[in-house]
Amino acid sequence: QVSAAGVLDAGNFQSLYDANVKNYIILDTEKTGTILSVLRLMSKEMRFHDQQLVILEPNETLDFEEISIKSIANLKLLYPSLTRDSASDELNLFETDYKKKNKTVPNQFATRGFDITFDTMLRLSQDKTISQSLEEDKTEQLESKFEYAKKDSEGYINKGVYILEYQEDLTVKPVN
């Protein structure tokens, strides 16, 4: 909880912990000072409470050098992402082939475009209609997850999202 002046009340913050459950601390600010205060307080509480830091959308402020990636990793930052941020043999092969053919490494749009095209081609080659496939099948490609939901009469929307978590060794792993 932050005051209107942007100051974190440490006593109030600590009183919100529940010793019987895992406490998810949702960080929804871009103010460096507030982020540093939350990280400091959470680090102090690590030995007393089961807790995890969560953000609901990308936050560029976390990339500032003032904010230690080690402290974020120690708090096992949990966040949603449209792409899986981990390498695989298939992704490495795609990047190698792409670089050989295009003389450059693929950017996020090239990889996403490949995933969407490949997923669509696979769905079209099945013994069911595209609508059945979209409604029934969840798939994963190189970096993307596809889990479609019918959107009224307007078609389908992809709700495939990865939940990623920083590990103490500074790697990022999907949790779902």
Side-chain angles (χ1 to χ4, degrees):
Q1 299 234 351
V2 180
S3 73
V7 177
L8 187 63
D9 180 351
N12 187 35
F13 185 87
Q14 292 166 329
S15 73
L16 297 173
Y17 278 98
D18 185 334
N20 302 313
V21 298
K22 185 169 199 161
N23 295 269
Y24 292 95
I25 311 302
I26 299 172
L27 186 64
D28 186 24
T29 183
E30 293 182 3
K31 295 181 179 177
T32 305
T34 304
I35 292 171
L36 290 169
S37 295
V38 168
L39 295 177
R40 200 171 313 114
L41 285 169
M42 287 183 73
S43 293
K44 287 181 185 176
E45 293 296 320
M46 281 180 79
R47 60 182 181 256
F48 305 113
H49 295 100
D50 187 12
Q51 63 180 352
Q52 190 161 17
L53 180 63
V54 178
I55 58 173
L56 302 177
E57 57 189 25
N59 187 337
E60 293 179 11
T61 309
L62 295 176
D63 293 333
F64 288 157
E65 61 187 51
E66 294 175 52
I67 298 172
S68 163
I69 190 72
K70 185 72 176 155
S71 64
I72 290 171
N74 286 340
L75 296 169
K76 295 189 146 227
L77 176 67
L78 198 64
Y79 64 98
S81 176
L82 293 176
T83 59
R84 176 177 40 208
D85 288 345
S86 56
S88 67
D89 291 341
E90 293 84 5
L91 181 58
N92 291 336
L93 180 61
F94 170 75
E95 289 175 347
T96 300
D97 287 348
Y98 188 96
K99 187 174 181 180
K100 191 184 299 180
K101 291 176 185 170
N102 299 290
K103 310 294 187 248
T104 186
V105 294
N107 62 22
Q108 67 184 31
F109 302 109
T111 307
R112 181 83 171 156
F114 175 84
D115 280 354
I116 291 168
T117 303
F118 190 72
D119 190 72
T120 303
M121 298 304 290
L122 285 176
R123 289 175 188 279
L124 288 169
S125 68
Q126 295 180 15
D127 289 335
K128 53 172 99 171
T129 67
I130 188 75
S131 296
Q132 287 173 313
S133 178
L134 291 173
E135 291 171 16
E136 297 170 3
D137 302 330
K138 297 177 188 175
T139 61
E140 289 186 57
Q141 302 308 334
L142 296 174
E143 286 187 341
S144 306
K145 182 184 278 191
F146 298 98
E147 184 177 340
Y148 290 98
K150 190 128 176 80
K151 190 176 173 193
D152 301 323
S153 62
E154 298 176 21
Y156 296 87
I157 186 168
N158 182 18
K159 294 190 174 201
V161 174
Y162 291 100
I163 304 299
L164 302 177
E165 177 183 74
Y166 271 88
Q167 306 299 301
E168 289 183 21
D169 65 359
L170 305 183
T171 60
V172 175
K173 300 221 165 104
V175 294
N176 63 336

